């Protein structure tokens, strides 16, 4: 019975890891607030919970705690400690534990999950299974790649699944797979990072299959390699292209170095498969181009453009705003590299303010507002919320401080150090006349894992990890330790040292299995309830965005009732309450009053419990401003809220602008004018700020009457309207203002 139970639990653990590598990349759902990352993270949580129950059950059955020790246990433990400490001292502990809402990857809970999966993998998996997981990973990548490839040509399987139309009509203009594909990953850069890390693995498995004359397998892996490469180009992710080049340089360079002797004796036959793949990649790159303009000059289209383009006379450029004159991308908007520099500058400022333990795990979205460079206002993404530093290392530095970054880098450093020692020991066996279990095929897969890890480090430098990438970041070292023969070993933590030799399952063991199962079921229900609540929240949020506030009320209430501790749900509900109160005041004053009170109470609780969350303070401004139309006493609350938001986001031009408006609407004209002047300094092309400033100068000029009593203020008002017209001669509001003032 004991043996049968252990075998059953081992199969469950093995199946869960297969699902992690094979199913998680393909997982998405249409009815949740975030289609891709949220559902992937939730599946990882569920699978990890099942693995935990199964592994614990094995320990209960054997009456021993067994954990395989590895070279990374100390840096991994220190890294976990850094995340816990940072979460304790966080600007927002709730966000630090769960992660930034809708993604959750990166929060303390996700980190605990990844570290647990590493421990479970090295303690329960065999070398034979590792080889199967590598193959499963490539198969998953092929499915992801094939799913995304047609979307480049206007045929997206996701739209077929969601709407029944085989096109790209289910996506907004902000997400156009014909421009940049994203498949089942949800974002081009995330798809690119995932496919890039799989490319060396597929290439190595293909070369090994070719060497063993397993042609169908080799063609599959080589085909996967080319598919990954083509899809990567279609993502137009510069970080992915650079990561791909880094991975291939490491893989090809070391492969040629290690086989240099055999190349002298066997000639071109030895590198025929690899050489053919690399040559084909060059041809594909030449015709498809890259995402890097400097390289695309030498592509087919680039050369064709140079040969066919003739110089023409260019008229002098008209005056443009600062935003228009900024570096632009080929798709419009400010170049992402320029924006990243501002974000990185802000990340360094956060670290300087919280040097040791950072602002708190996953709190970048709130901390960045405090230190956001003013220059960010002059980019096309000036009003975007950045919840990551777009550089994994700076993100850890900002949110977890020196301690967090140092422990993260120690994981990477010790992995490479251990790999170097293993290779130093094993590589001589490749050229020894004695037979050895360590072969060139084994080393090639080991090399591919190192190249994959390098690609992760590169793509993380220009972006940040998502669920699939983080899985491989923590599990690639485990793969390599198995491949290199380091695992399993005798260095195992065992308690107690001597296990019971009883073949019967005692009553205490059955009790333990029952308790663990109940705990597992409980947390599974918690996760399910959270996911269900998110679906209700997503429905309410979408209805709110569509202006159907009454229909949104019930699903938002359902979401809050299911997860009373999720502030994101409460925030949206409070906004919905306020809007409905404003709409119902003339029809049902009693209900309107009740909704208004609920909105105020809910939001007050939020800003009290999460005082550093600028998003909730912005919501409070909106709520109080709406309610001020019902009762003027709320206008002062709106002003206090925007002042707090301004403290948390002193360089945010939109917050500054709204502060100026509320000063003006509460009769504080001098404060309004001074604030709007600051707004224009923050964002010199802010048309609405110029217009509001002109209106307030006019109000100051005429006072409470219609006659101008302050000619200087009047002159300023007229000049501001003329400035707006110099930028856009068709601006109706500016024209109407001047006409009403008797100006031309």
């Amino acid at each position: 019975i004991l043996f049968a139970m252990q075998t059953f639990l081992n199969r469950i653990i093995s199946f869960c890891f297969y699902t992690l590598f094979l199913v998680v990349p393909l997982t998405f759902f249409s009815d949740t607030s975030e289609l891709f990352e949220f559902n992937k993270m939730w599946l990882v949580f569920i699978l990890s919970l099942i693995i935990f129950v199964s592994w614990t059950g094995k320990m209960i059955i054997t009456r021993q705690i067994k954990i395989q020790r590895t070279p990374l246990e100390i840096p991994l433990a220190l890294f976990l400690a850094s995340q816990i400490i940072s979460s304790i001292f966080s600007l927002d502990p709730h966000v630090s534990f769960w992660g930034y809402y809708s993604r959750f990857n990166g929060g303390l809970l996700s980190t605990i999950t990844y570290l647990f999966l590493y421990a479970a993998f090295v303690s329960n998996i065999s070398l034979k299974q590792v080889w199967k997981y590598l193959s499963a990973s490539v198969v998953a990548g092929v499915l992801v790649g094939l799913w995304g490839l047609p979307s480049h040509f206007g045929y997206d399987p996701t739209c077929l699944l969601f709407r029944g139309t085989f096109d790209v009509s289910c996506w907004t203009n902000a997400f156009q797979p014909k421009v940049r594909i994203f498949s089942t990953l949800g974002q081009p850069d995330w798809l690119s990072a995932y496919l890039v890390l799989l490319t060396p693995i597929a290439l190595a498995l293909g070369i090994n299959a070719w060497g063993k004359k397993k042609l169908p397998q080799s063609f599959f892996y080589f085909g996967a390699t080319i598919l990954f490469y083509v899809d990567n180009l279609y993502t137009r992710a510069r970080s992915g292209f650079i990561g791909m080049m880094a991975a291939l340089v490491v893989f090809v360079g070391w492969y040629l170095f290690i086989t240099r002797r055999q190349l002298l004796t066997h000639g071109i036959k030895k590198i025929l498969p690899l050489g053919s793949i690399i040559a084909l990649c060059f041809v594909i790159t030449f015709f498809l181009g890259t995402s890097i303009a400097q390289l695309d000059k030498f592509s087919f289209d680039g050369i064709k453009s140079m040969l066919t383009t003739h110089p023409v006379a260019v008229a002098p450029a008209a005056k443009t705003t600062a935003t228009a004159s900024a570096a632009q991308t080929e798709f419009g908007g400010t170049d992402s590299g320029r924006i990243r520099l501002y974000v990185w500058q802000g990340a360094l400022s956060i670290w300087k303010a919280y040097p040791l333990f950072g602002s708190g795990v996953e709190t970048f979205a709130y901390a960045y507002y405090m230190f956001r460079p003013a220059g960010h206002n002059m980019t096309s993404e000036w009003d975007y919320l950045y919840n990551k530093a777009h550089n994994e290392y700076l993100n850890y530095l900002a949110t977890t401080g020196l301690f967090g970054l140092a422990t993260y880098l120690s994981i990477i450093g010790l992995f490479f150090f251990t790999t170097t020692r293993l290779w130093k020991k094993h590589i001589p066996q490749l050229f020894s006349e004695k037979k050895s279990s360590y072969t060139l095929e084994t080393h090639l897969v080991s090399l591919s894992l190192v190249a994959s890890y390098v690609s992760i480090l590169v793509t993380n430098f220009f972006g940040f990890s998502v669920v699939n990438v983080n899985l491989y970041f923590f599990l690639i070292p485990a793969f390599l330790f198995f491949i290199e023969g380091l695992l399993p070993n005798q260095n195992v933590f065992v308690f107690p040292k001597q296990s019971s030799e009883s073949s019967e399952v005692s009553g205490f063991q059955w009790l333990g299995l029952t308790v663990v199962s109940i705990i597992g079921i409980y947390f599974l229900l918690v996760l399910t309830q959270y996911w269900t609540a998110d679906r209700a929240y997503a429905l309410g949020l979408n209805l709110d965005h569509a202006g159907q506030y009454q229909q949104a009320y019930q699903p938002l209430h359902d979401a809050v009732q299911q997860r009373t501790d999720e502030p994101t749900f409460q925030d949206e509900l409070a906004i919905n309450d306020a809007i409905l109160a404003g709409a119902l005041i003339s029809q049902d004053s009693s209900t309107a009053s009740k909704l208004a009170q609920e909105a105020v109470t809910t939001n007050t609780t939020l800003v009290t419990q999460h005082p550093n969350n600028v998003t909730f303070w912005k919501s409070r401004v909106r709520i109080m401003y709406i309610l001020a139309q019902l009762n003027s006493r709320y206008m002062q609350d709106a002003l206090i809220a925007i002042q707090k938001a301004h403290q948390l986001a002193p360089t945010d031009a939109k917050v500054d602008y709204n502060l100026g408006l509320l000063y003006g609407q509460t009769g504080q004209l001098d404060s309004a004018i001074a604030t709007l002047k600051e707004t224009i300094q923050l964002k010199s092309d802010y048309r609405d700020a110029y217009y509001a400033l002109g209106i307030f100068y006019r109000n100051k000029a005429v006072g409470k009457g219609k006659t101008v009593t302050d000619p200087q203020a009047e002159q300023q008002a007229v000049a501001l309207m003329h400035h707006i017209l110099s930028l856009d001669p068709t601006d109706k509001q500016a024209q109407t203002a001047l006409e009403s003032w008797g100006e031309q």
Side-chain angles (χ1 to χ4, degrees):
I1 294 177
L2 289 175
F3 178 77
M5 293 178 69
Q6 288 187 63
T7 301
F8 176 70
L9 293 174
N10 279 328
R11 287 178 179 175
I12 292 177
I13 293 172
S14 178
F15 175 79
C16 287
F17 275 110
Y18 270 120
T19 307
L20 279 171
F21 298 121
L22 195 56
V23 178
V24 169
L26 296 163
T27 301
F28 61 94
F29 197 79
S30 62
D31 291 345
T32 49
S33 62
E34 201 279 340
L35 280 64
F36 302 97
E37 278 291 283
F38 171 65
N39 294 291
K40 287 175 171 56
M41 190 74 257
W42 238 241
L43 181 56
V44 171
F45 284 153
I46 291 172
L47 292 170
S48 300
L49 183 60
I50 296 172
I51 293 172
F52 171 79
V53 172
S54 301
W55 187 15
T56 306
K58 281 178 58 179
M59 295 179 186
I60 292 173
I61 291 171
T62 59
R63 301 180 184 182
Q64 273 190 323
I65 298 174
K66 286 187 177 182
I67 302 176
Q68 176 68 63
R69 303 189 67 175
T70 74
L72 296 185
E73 62 187 30
I74 294 178
L76 289 174
L78 290 174
F79 177 66
L80 177 59
S82 74
Q83 305 303 292
I84 293 173
I85 294 172
S86 178
S87 297
I88 292 173
F89 296 103
S90 171
L91 292 175
D92 195 323
H94 176 88
V95 171
S96 291
F97 178 77
W98 283 101
Y100 188 81
Y101 194 84
S102 78
R103 291 179 183 170
F104 295 98
N105 177 69
L108 177 61
L109 181 59
S110 71
T111 299
I112 293 172
T113 301
Y114 295 129
L115 295 179
F116 164 76
L117 287 173
Y118 174 86
F121 191 90
V122 299
S123 300
N124 294 278
I125 301 304
S126 66
L127 175 60
K128 183 178 180 180
Q129 290 173 306
V130 167
W131 289 102
K132 292 180 179 179
Y133 292 147
L134 288 174
S135 297
S137 297
V138 176
V139 170
V142 169
L143 295 176
V144 170
L146 291 176
W147 188 276
L149 186 60
S151 64
H152 175 76
F153 305 98
Y155 306 99
D156 194 341
T158 303
C159 291
L160 180 63
L161 184 65
F162 286 174
R163 289 189 175 181
T165 58
F166 198 29
D167 51 30
V168 294
S169 62
C170 62
W171 304 113
T172 64
N173 291 332
F175 299 92
Q176 276 301 319
K178 290 177 67 175
V179 178
R180 301 181 68 193
I181 68 172
F182 45 80
S183 189
T184 61
L185 274 293
Q187 209 268 6
D189 293 278
W190 303 347
L191 173 63
S192 176
Y194 171 65
L195 295 180
V196 167
L197 74 86
L198 292 177
T199 302
I201 298 173
L203 185 55
L205 294 177
I207 294 174
N208 284 347
W210 179 275
K212 295 177 180 178
K213 297 184 179 180
K214 297 180 178 179
L215 297 185
Q217 293 182 25
S218 66
F219 288 147
F220 170 77
Y221 289 122
F222 289 149
T225 303
I226 297 302
L227 174 65
F228 297 162
Y229 190 83
V230 170
D231 272 9
N232 182 48
L233 292 179
Y234 282 150
T235 64
R236 299 194 65 78
R238 282 179 286 186
S239 60
F241 183 78
I242 296 172
M244 178 74 80
M245 293 302 102
L248 291 178
V249 166
V250 170
F251 183 87
V252 175
W254 186 256
Y255 178 76
L256 293 177
F257 175 77
I258 207 70
T259 59
R260 62 190 184 281
R261 297 180 184 176
Q262 296 176 343
L263 290 175
L264 295 175
T265 56
H266 295 84
I268 195 172
K269 292 182 179 179
K270 187 64 183 177
I271 60 168
L272 180 61
L274 178 61
S276 300
I277 294 296
I278 298 302
L280 185 55
C281 287
F282 271 109
V283 173
I284 292 171
T285 305
F286 177 73
F287 284 103
L288 297 186
T290 71
S291 51
I292 301 176
Q294 293 84 346
L295 294 179
D296 283 345
K297 294 177 182 178
F298 306 101
S299 68
F300 176 78
D301 287 340
I303 294 174
K304 181 180 177 181
S305 177
M306 286 190 293
L307 294 176
T308 58
T309 301
H310 302 286
V312 295
V314 180
K319 291 175 66 177
T320 60
T321 64
T323 298
S325 62
Q328 304 287 310
T329 68
E330 61 184 297
F331 309 116
T334 310
D335 179 73
S336 61
R338 179 169 175 246
I339 297 174
R340 275 191 176 89
L341 290 178
Y342 286 125
V343 179
W344 293 354
Q345 182 182 340
L348 290 173
S349 298
I350 296 171
W351 165 64
K352 292 176 182 177
Y354 307 96
L356 193 55
F357 301 120
S359 61
V361 173
E362 282 296 277
T363 59
F364 188 85
Y366 316 122
Y368 181 63
Y369 273 109
M370 300 179 186
F371 305 97
R372 187 174 180 265
H376 199 154
N377 291 306
M378 299 307 300
T379 69
S380 58
E381 297 183 4
W382 69 280
D383 56 350
Y384 285 24
L385 188 152
Y386 276 78
N387 53 32
K388 294 279 190 179
H390 288 263
N391 179 300
E392 191 82 339
Y393 313 102
L394 287 178
N395 199 75
Y396 276 120
L397 183 65
T399 59
T400 63
L402 278 175
F403 187 32
L405 179 61
T407 54
Y408 182 76
L409 294 177
S410 70
I411 298 171
I412 299 169
L414 191 55
F415 167 67
F416 283 119
F417 177 75
T418 303
T419 301
T420 302
R421 291 185 61 185
L422 290 170
W423 283 4
K424 187 176 180 180
K425 174 184 176 182
H426 290 150
I427 287 177
Q429 299 177 24
L430 299 177
F431 309 105
S432 174
E433 296 181 358
K434 297 180 180 179
K435 289 186 178 181
S436 172
S437 59
Y438 191 81
T439 63
L440 181 59
E441 288 77 13
T442 301
H443 182 68
L444 195 59
V445 174
S446 179
L447 170 60
S448 73
L449 292 170
V450 171
S452 295
Y453 208 73
V454 168
S455 78
I456 293 175
L457 302 183
V458 172
T459 54
N460 277 354
F461 182 84
F462 297 101
F464 51 88
S465 289
V466 291
V467 174
N468 289 295
V469 174
N470 250 357
L471 273 174
Y472 284 96
F473 176 84
F474 287 103
L475 292 181
I476 279 179
F479 277 120
L480 186 136
F481 294 158
F482 273 107
I483 296 294
E484 287 289 328
L486 183 63
L487 299 177
N489 58 43
Q490 301 302 315
N491 190 11
V492 181
F493 173 80
V494 181
F495 181 83
K497 296 295 184 181
Q498 298 295 326
S499 63
S500 172
E501 297 182 359
S502 173
S503 59
E504 299 294 329
V505 181
S506 69
F508 284 109
Q509 286 175 298
W510 282 117
L511 178 62
L513 291 172
T514 302
V515 170
V516 169
S517 298
I518 291 174
I519 292 173
I521 292 172
Y522 170 76
F523 283 110
L524 181 61
L525 290 175
V526 169
L527 291 172
T528 302
Q529 185 185 50
Y530 212 145
W531 185 79
T532 304
D534 178 83
R535 291 182 63 195
Y537 163 71
L539 176 60
L541 181 67
N542 289 332
L543 289 170
D544 269 353
H545 288 171
Q548 301 178 39
Y549 301 107
Q550 287 185 319
Q551 294 88 335
Y553 179 81
Q554 191 56 52
L556 289 175
H557 261 272
D558 292 342
V560 171
Q561 287 174 358
Q562 292 181 63
R563 290 297 304 183
T564 57
D565 61 340
E566 179 46 61
T568 301
F569 299 167
Q570 298 173 38
D571 182 51
E572 189 63 29
L573 176 61
I575 294 172
N576 178 270
D577 284 339
I579 294 173
L580 286 178
L584 294 175
I585 187 62
S586 60
Q587 305 171 23
D588 187 346
S589 59
S590 176
T591 301
S593 177
K594 180 181 177 182
L595 288 169
Q597 186 58 46
E598 183 177 78
V600 173
T601 301
T602 302
N603 180 261
T604 300
T605 300
L606 282 179
V607 296
T608 301
Q609 294 177 349
H610 307 272
N612 297 305
N613 190 320
V614 67
T615 302
F616 295 157
W617 283 104
K618 288 182 177 181
S619 295
R620 186 172 182 83
V621 176
R622 182 181 177 187
I623 290 167
M624 296 304 173
Y625 187 80
I626 292 171
L627 297 181
Q629 314 310 309
L630 312 180
N631 190 326
S632 59
R633 68 183 176 87
Y634 287 113
M635 185 62 78
Q636 187 62 32
D637 292 323
L639 179 59
I640 294 173
I642 194 65
Q643 288 172 334
K644 176 62 177 179
H646 187 257
Q647 292 175 11
L648 295 173
T651 62
D652 187 320
K654 182 167 286 188
V655 170
D656 209 64
Y657 165 70
N658 285 314
L659 176 60
L661 289 184
L662 285 175
Y663 273 136
Q665 292 181 21
T666 54
Q668 304 177 58
L669 287 180
D670 289 338
S671 295
I673 290 171
T675 302
L676 289 170
K677 283 183 176 179
E678 293 175 358
T679 305
I680 292 171
Q681 289 179 347
L682 290 172
K683 183 172 175 59
S684 60
D685 62 343
Y686 204 163
R687 180 265 175 205
D688 291 346
Y690 282 110
Y691 181 79
L693 182 58
I695 294 297
F696 289 139
Y697 264 123
R698 170 66 180 182
N699 291 343
K700 182 179 181 181
V702 299
K704 295 182 179 180
K706 295 183 179 180
T707 304
V708 174
T709 58
D710 188 338
Q712 187 175 2
E714 173 73 1
Q715 185 179 5
Q716 291 281 2
V718 172
L720 286 165
M721 295 304 166
H722 280 300
H723 175 73
I724 293 173
L725 290 173
S726 71
L727 300 176
D728 180 8
T730 64
D731 193 297
K732 296 296 184 182
Q733 280 188 308
Q735 290 175 353
T736 302
L738 289 173
E739 290 172 2
S740 66
W741 300 343
E743 301 286 345
Q744 298 297 326

